[in-house]
Amino acid sequence: MQKITVQTRPIDAQKPGTSGLRKKTHVFMGPHYLENYVQAIFDGIGGVAGKRLVLGGDGRYFNDRAAQVILRMAAAQGAAGVIVGVNALLSTPAASHLIRLRGTDGGLILSASHNPGGPEGDFGLKYNTPNGGPAPENVTDRIFAATQTVSQYTILEAHDLDLTRPGTTALGEMTVEILDPVADYAALMETLFDFDAIRALFASGFTMRFDAMHAVTGPYAHAILEGMLGAAPGTVVNGTPSPDFGGGHPDPNPIWAKDLVDRMMAPDAPDFGAASDGDGDRNMIMGRGVYVGPSDSLALLTAHAHRAPGYARGLKGVARSMPTSGAVDRVAAALGMACYETPTGWKFFGNLLDAGRATLCGEESAGTGSDHVREKDGLWAVLLWLNILADTRASMADLLAGHWRRYGRNYYSRHDYEDVAADRANALYDGLRARLGSLAGQTFGALTVASADEFAYDDPVDGSHSAAQGLRIGFTSGGRVVFRLSGTGTVGATLRVYLEEVETDPARLDRDAQEALADVIAAAEAIAGIKAHTGREAPDVIT
Ligand code: G1P
Ligand code: ZN
């Protein structure tokens, strides 16, 4: 096996976004594209000589090829060992767990999360640090800087490794441990949840449908739900990972998981429904006849977490991303626990989890998780819900209604305008930012602005400052609108408009969210001129 040095030149715009580098698959497959970025990661973390890494991905198109390249580059550059999932598969939370469990120097995760896969779809790569979490900004800044100076990389000339079976092998001087991607993760779940109680729930006739969306959670859900917990065979659907996710869009929300929504809204629906995304860190939660929005899910999980053995001693605190609704804040206040508001992106939760300030975290974008790993975790959320259902034996609809009666309801919706020309999106955003200072006191339709600012975050643990994290406008009604530009898109700009209104009148807790938000939606349009700027009559995606 020969080590070769390949001359290269910096490639434009290899800038990690909200969650690693995401690009069109064909861009990632272009000459030197992957290799340059891997080299930049290695350089950005001070080289890989003598280090151990975890490697795996969501199985999307190019996952297998990229894994072989990364292994050969790591071997050429003196890495001591790489732990890789069979067929280079690892869900994002399972990768995070392995990094922590095995004490490695971090890991590389191949995924573009919920974005479609395939030759025409998206691909992505991110580096997670030794705490198991996404690299914080100081690390991604170093990686980006390295992409701008990279001039060569070294790689081993070797045949592909056979990754189809567990076992330990060598690549040059480097040890490669190939392991079952599910086993360690399943063992961790067993320490957190009352598997006996959940087994008893299923044994009592409780029914569930889990839609793995042809993505990485299929094997995990089969093993844990049907295998260990005794859910009926067929509970897990679309459970075989495919390189293009069955031609679908593996994003667990009411738009892309419509089949699950339709089944859960039918009269003969199962008791519980859930879905997860491409790499297994997101979740969608439903009951018969009810959809539980991610912000509400976080609030209910916080209120009931003590029912699961792993959280029986209570939570140290909770954290939510700024655009996530304030529903969890109400629970935290009632329980007398700290509630942190962070910028969008899981990496901002890492310090709070590491420092023991927060136990549960969540984002409105279908992400919930806890301090068991340093990523959001789709199946974990499903299992915590199952544990709560096993303990309360209540229906999802009753749990949700009871929660709203007790805490009030934060009506919530996100409107996305996708693939907007970047200059148009920037004009809206920059124009609004310039007017923020003059908005307070102004009335737009039925609502009066109480506050308007650009969100910035001072990390209470390491003191780091993150500026320009979204524009937020609060109304005297308690409602709110937030404007953000997505940091994960691969085409044009995506404008996200987050809408929220608080309702405490018991007679008005059961309304359609878009109706309940009509005044906030109208005020958002009046304030920002969304239609005129984007040229769109309506959002592309409403969640
Ligand atoms: C989106 C979500 C964000 C999430 C991220 C990675 O980022 O909004 O909450 O952490 O994906 O899954 P965005 O595209 O908004 O930058
Ligand atoms: Zn994901």
PDB file of all heavy atoms in Angstrom, residues 496-514:
ATOM      1  N   ARG A 496     -37.014  31.726   6.624  1.00  0.00           N
ATOM      2  CA  ARG A 496     -37.899  31.080   7.588  1.00  0.00           C
ATOM      3  C   ARG A 496     -38.591  32.154   8.414  1.00  0.00           C
ATOM      4  O   ARG A 496     -37.932  33.051   8.960  1.00  0.00           O
ATOM      5  CB  ARG A 496     -37.106  30.169   8.521  1.00  0.00           C
ATOM      6  CG  ARG A 496     -36.289  29.097   7.811  1.00  0.00           C
ATOM      7  CD  ARG A 496     -36.008  27.938   8.768  1.00  0.00           C
ATOM      8  NE  ARG A 496     -34.979  27.029   8.282  1.00  0.00           N
ATOM      9  CZ  ARG A 496     -35.145  26.127   7.318  1.00  0.00           C
ATOM     10  NH1 ARG A 496     -36.307  26.020   6.699  1.00  0.00           N
ATOM     11  NH2 ARG A 496     -34.161  25.324   6.963  1.00  0.00           N
ATOM     12  N   VAL A 497     -39.910  32.045   8.477  1.00  0.00           N
ATOM     13  CA  VAL A 497     -40.703  32.981   9.271  1.00  0.00           C
ATOM     14  C   VAL A 497     -41.395  32.158  10.360  1.00  0.00           C
ATOM     15  O   VAL A 497     -42.186  31.271  10.067  1.00  0.00           O
ATOM     16  CB  VAL A 497     -41.746  33.707   8.392  1.00  0.00           C
ATOM     17  CG1 VAL A 497     -42.499  34.745   9.224  1.00  0.00           C
ATOM     18  CG2 VAL A 497     -41.076  34.354   7.189  1.00  0.00           C
ATOM     19  N   TYR A 498     -41.050  32.423  11.606  1.00  0.00           N
ATOM     20  CA  TYR A 498     -41.563  31.654  12.747  1.00  0.00           C
ATOM     21  C   TYR A 498     -42.646  32.487  13.437  1.00  0.00           C
ATOM     22  O   TYR A 498     -42.400  33.624  13.825  1.00  0.00           O
ATOM     23  CB  TYR A 498     -40.453  31.366  13.736  1.00  0.00           C
ATOM     24  CG  TYR A 498     -39.190  30.731  13.168  1.00  0.00           C
ATOM     25  CD1 TYR A 498     -38.214  31.516  12.551  1.00  0.00           C
ATOM     26  CD2 TYR A 498     -38.961  29.368  13.273  1.00  0.00           C
ATOM     27  CE1 TYR A 498     -37.042  30.947  12.062  1.00  0.00           C
ATOM     28  CE2 TYR A 498     -37.786  28.790  12.783  1.00  0.00           C
ATOM     29  CZ  TYR A 498     -36.832  29.587  12.180  1.00  0.00           C
ATOM     30  OH  TYR A 498     -35.675  29.021  11.700  1.00  0.00           O
ATOM     31  N   LEU A 499     -43.829  31.898  13.594  1.00  0.00           N
ATOM     32  CA  LEU A 499     -44.993  32.638  14.075  1.00  0.00           C
ATOM     33  C   LEU A 499     -45.533  32.005  15.351  1.00  0.00           C
ATOM     34  O   LEU A 499     -45.638  30.776  15.436  1.00  0.00           O
ATOM     35  CB  LEU A 499     -46.066  32.620  12.987  1.00  0.00           C
ATOM     36  CG  LEU A 499     -45.541  33.104  11.619  1.00  0.00           C
ATOM     37  CD1 LEU A 499     -46.120  32.276  10.491  1.00  0.00           C
ATOM     38  CD2 LEU A 499     -45.823  34.579  11.427  1.00  0.00           C
ATOM     39  N   GLU A 500     -45.876  32.845  16.301  1.00  0.00           N
ATOM     40  CA  GLU A 500     -46.305  32.304  17.596  1.00  0.00           C
ATOM     41  C   GLU A 500     -47.316  33.235  18.246  1.00  0.00           C
ATOM     42  O   GLU A 500     -47.199  34.456  18.161  1.00  0.00           O
ATOM     43  CB  GLU A 500     -45.056  32.165  18.491  1.00  0.00           C
ATOM     44  CG  GLU A 500     -45.334  31.615  19.871  1.00  0.00           C
ATOM     45  CD  GLU A 500     -44.031  31.382  20.660  1.00  0.00           C
ATOM     46  OE1 GLU A 500     -42.939  31.639  20.107  1.00  0.00           O
ATOM     47  OE2 GLU A 500     -44.129  30.967  21.810  1.00  0.00           O
ATOM     48  N   GLU A 501     -48.319  32.661  18.883  1.00  0.00           N
ATOM     49  CA  GLU A 501     -49.273  33.444  19.670  1.00  0.00           C
ATOM     50  C   GLU A 501     -49.680  32.626  20.892  1.00  0.00           C
ATOM     51  O   GLU A 501     -49.843  31.409  20.802  1.00  0.00           O
ATOM     52  CB  GLU A 501     -50.517  33.796  18.828  1.00  0.00           C
ATOM     53  CG  GLU A 501     -51.495  34.739  19.494  1.00  0.00           C
ATOM     54  CD  GLU A 501     -50.868  36.090  19.878  1.00  0.00           C
ATOM     55  OE1 GLU A 501     -50.345  36.165  21.008  1.00  0.00           O
ATOM     56  OE2 GLU A 501     -50.906  37.037  19.066  1.00  0.00           O
ATOM     57  N   VAL A 502     -49.825  33.289  22.011  1.00  0.00           N
ATOM     58  CA  VAL A 502     -50.131  32.586  23.248  1.00  0.00           C
ATOM     59  C   VAL A 502     -51.626  32.649  23.529  1.00  0.00           C
ATOM     60  O   VAL A 502     -52.241  33.709  23.389  1.00  0.00           O
ATOM     61  CB  VAL A 502     -49.365  33.224  24.431  1.00  0.00           C
ATOM     62  CG1 VAL A 502     -49.650  32.478  25.725  1.00  0.00           C
ATOM     63  CG2 VAL A 502     -47.866  33.238  24.140  1.00  0.00           C
ATOM     64  N   GLU A 503     -52.214  31.524  23.913  1.00  0.00           N
ATOM     65  CA  GLU A 503     -53.642  31.469  24.239  1.00  0.00           C
ATOM     66  C   GLU A 503     -53.839  30.781  25.583  1.00  0.00           C
ATOM     67  O   GLU A 503     -53.371  29.653  25.779  1.00  0.00           O
ATOM     68  CB  GLU A 503     -54.390  30.668  23.149  1.00  0.00           C
ATOM     69  CG  GLU A 503     -55.874  30.585  23.359  1.00  0.00           C
ATOM     70  CD  GLU A 503     -56.529  31.975  23.367  1.00  0.00           C
ATOM     71  OE1 GLU A 503     -56.663  32.572  22.273  1.00  0.00           O
ATOM     72  OE2 GLU A 503     -56.870  32.436  24.474  1.00  0.00           O
ATOM     73  N   THR A 504     -54.507  31.465  26.499  1.00  0.00           N
ATOM     74  CA  THR A 504     -54.763  30.835  27.797  1.00  0.00           C
ATOM     75  C   THR A 504     -56.254  30.634  28.060  1.00  0.00           C
ATOM     76  O   THR A 504     -56.627  29.984  29.040  1.00  0.00           O
ATOM     77  CB  THR A 504     -54.166  31.680  28.947  1.00  0.00           C
ATOM     78  OG1 THR A 504     -54.591  33.024  28.785  1.00  0.00           O
ATOM     79  CG2 THR A 504     -52.645  31.629  28.944  1.00  0.00           C
ATOM     80  N   ASP A 505     -57.117  31.170  27.183  1.00  0.00           N
ATOM     81  CA  ASP A 505     -58.566  31.004  27.344  1.00  0.00           C
ATOM     82  C   ASP A 505     -58.930  29.537  27.080  1.00  0.00           C
ATOM     83  O   ASP A 505     -58.750  29.046  25.968  1.00  0.00           O
ATOM     84  CB  ASP A 505     -59.276  31.931  26.351  1.00  0.00           C
ATOM     85  CG  ASP A 505     -60.786  31.797  26.430  1.00  0.00           C
ATOM     86  OD1 ASP A 505     -61.277  30.879  27.125  1.00  0.00           O
ATOM     87  OD2 ASP A 505     -61.472  32.600  25.767  1.00  0.00           O
ATOM     88  N   PRO A 506     -59.451  28.821  28.116  1.00  0.00           N
ATOM     89  CA  PRO A 506     -59.738  27.387  27.945  1.00  0.00           C
ATOM     90  C   PRO A 506     -60.683  27.101  26.777  1.00  0.00           C
ATOM     91  O   PRO A 506     -60.661  26.000  26.218  1.00  0.00           O
ATOM     92  CB  PRO A 506     -60.392  26.987  29.268  1.00  0.00           C
ATOM     93  CG  PRO A 506     -60.199  28.122  30.208  1.00  0.00           C
ATOM     94  CD  PRO A 506     -59.823  29.343  29.436  1.00  0.00           C
ATOM     95  N   ALA A 507     -61.493  28.097  26.388  1.00  0.00           N
ATOM     96  CA  ALA A 507     -62.451  27.861  25.303  1.00  0.00           C
ATOM     97  C   ALA A 507     -61.792  27.984  23.924  1.00  0.00           C
ATOM     98  O   ALA A 507     -62.406  27.693  22.910  1.00  0.00           O
ATOM     99  CB  ALA A 507     -63.604  28.860  25.408  1.00  0.00           C
ATOM    100  N   ARG A 508     -60.548  28.439  23.896  1.00  0.00           N
ATOM    101  CA  ARG A 508     -59.926  28.699  22.593  1.00  0.00           C
ATOM    102  C   ARG A 508     -58.616  27.913  22.410  1.00  0.00           C
ATOM    103  O   ARG A 508     -57.699  28.363  21.733  1.00  0.00           O
ATOM    104  CB  ARG A 508     -59.651  30.207  22.460  1.00  0.00           C
ATOM    105  CG  ARG A 508     -60.941  31.022  22.395  1.00  0.00           C
ATOM    106  CD  ARG A 508     -60.681  32.494  22.573  1.00  0.00           C
ATOM    107  NE  ARG A 508     -59.886  33.066  21.489  1.00  0.00           N
ATOM    108  CZ  ARG A 508     -60.369  33.460  20.318  1.00  0.00           C
ATOM    109  NH1 ARG A 508     -61.661  33.342  20.055  1.00  0.00           N
ATOM    110  NH2 ARG A 508     -59.586  33.979  19.408  1.00  0.00           N
ATOM    111  N   LEU A 509     -58.563  26.735  23.013  1.00  0.00           N
ATOM    112  CA  LEU A 509     -57.325  25.954  22.943  1.00  0.00           C
ATOM    113  C   LEU A 509     -57.327  24.955  21.794  1.00  0.00           C
ATOM    114  O   LEU A 509     -56.313  24.308  21.546  1.00  0.00           O
ATOM    115  CB  LEU A 509     -57.107  25.209  24.269  1.00  0.00           C
ATOM    116  CG  LEU A 509     -56.888  26.114  25.488  1.00  0.00           C
ATOM    117  CD1 LEU A 509     -56.832  25.282  26.762  1.00  0.00           C
ATOM    118  CD2 LEU A 509     -55.620  26.938  25.320  1.00  0.00           C
ATOM    119  N   ASP A 510     -58.460  24.849  21.099  1.00  0.00           N
ATOM    120  CA  ASP A 510     -58.598  23.782  20.114  1.00  0.00           C
ATOM    121  C   ASP A 510     -58.747  24.316  18.699  1.00  0.00           C
ATOM    122  O   ASP A 510     -59.387  23.710  17.870  1.00  0.00           O
ATOM    123  CB  ASP A 510     -59.824  22.938  20.493  1.00  0.00           C
ATOM    124  CG  ASP A 510     -59.557  21.478  20.205  1.00  0.00           C
ATOM    125  OD1 ASP A 510     -58.407  21.162  19.861  1.00  0.00           O
ATOM    126  OD2 ASP A 510     -60.506  20.680  20.305  1.00  0.00           O
ATOM    127  N   ARG A 511     -58.129  25.443  18.433  1.00  0.00           N
ATOM    128  CA  ARG A 511     -58.313  26.062  17.115  1.00  0.00           C
ATOM    129  C   ARG A 511     -57.270  25.548  16.127  1.00  0.00           C
ATOM    130  O   ARG A 511     -56.235  25.018  16.505  1.00  0.00           O
ATOM    131  CB  ARG A 511     -58.179  27.583  17.243  1.00  0.00           C
ATOM    132  CG  ARG A 511     -59.138  28.187  18.246  1.00  0.00           C
ATOM    133  CD  ARG A 511     -58.845  29.652  18.443  1.00  0.00           C
ATOM    134  NE  ARG A 511     -59.136  30.427  17.235  1.00  0.00           N
ATOM    135  CZ  ARG A 511     -58.677  31.651  17.002  1.00  0.00           C
ATOM    136  NH1 ARG A 511     -57.867  32.228  17.874  1.00  0.00           N
ATOM    137  NH2 ARG A 511     -58.991  32.295  15.908  1.00  0.00           N
ATOM    138  N   ASP A 512     -57.549  25.786  14.859  1.00  0.00           N
ATOM    139  CA  ASP A 512     -56.562  25.511  13.825  1.00  0.00           C
ATOM    140  C   ASP A 512     -55.419  26.518  13.994  1.00  0.00           C
ATOM    141  O   ASP A 512     -55.650  27.716  14.186  1.00  0.00           O
ATOM    142  CB  ASP A 512     -57.234  25.678  12.459  1.00  0.00           C
ATOM    143  CG  ASP A 512     -56.223  25.618  11.337  1.00  0.00           C
ATOM    144  OD1 ASP A 512     -55.786  24.506  11.024  1.00  0.00           O
ATOM    145  OD2 ASP A 512     -55.866  26.679  10.790  1.00  0.00           O
ATOM    146  N   ALA A 513     -54.172  26.047  13.919  1.00  0.00           N
ATOM    147  CA  ALA A 513     -53.043  26.925  14.220  1.00  0.00           C
ATOM    148  C   ALA A 513     -52.969  28.110  13.246  1.00  0.00           C
ATOM    149  O   ALA A 513     -52.727  29.249  13.662  1.00  0.00           O
ATOM    150  CB  ALA A 513     -51.737  26.130  14.192  1.00  0.00           C
ATOM    151  N   GLN A 514     -53.183  27.856  11.960  1.00  0.00           N
ATOM    152  CA  GLN A 514     -53.066  28.960  10.995  1.00  0.00           C
ATOM    153  C   GLN A 514     -54.135  30.034  11.270  1.00  0.00           C
ATOM    154  O   GLN A 514     -53.883  31.221  11.123  1.00  0.00           O
ATOM    155  CB  GLN A 514     -53.183  28.449   9.556  1.00  0.00           C
ATOM    156  CG  GLN A 514     -52.134  27.414   9.163  1.00  0.00           C
ATOM    157  CD  GLN A 514     -50.696  27.883   9.373  1.00  0.00           C
ATOM    158  OE1 GLN A 514     -50.334  29.008   9.047  1.00  0.00           O
ATOM    159  NE2 GLN A 514     -49.872  27.012   9.944  1.00  0.00           N
TER     160      GLN A 514
END
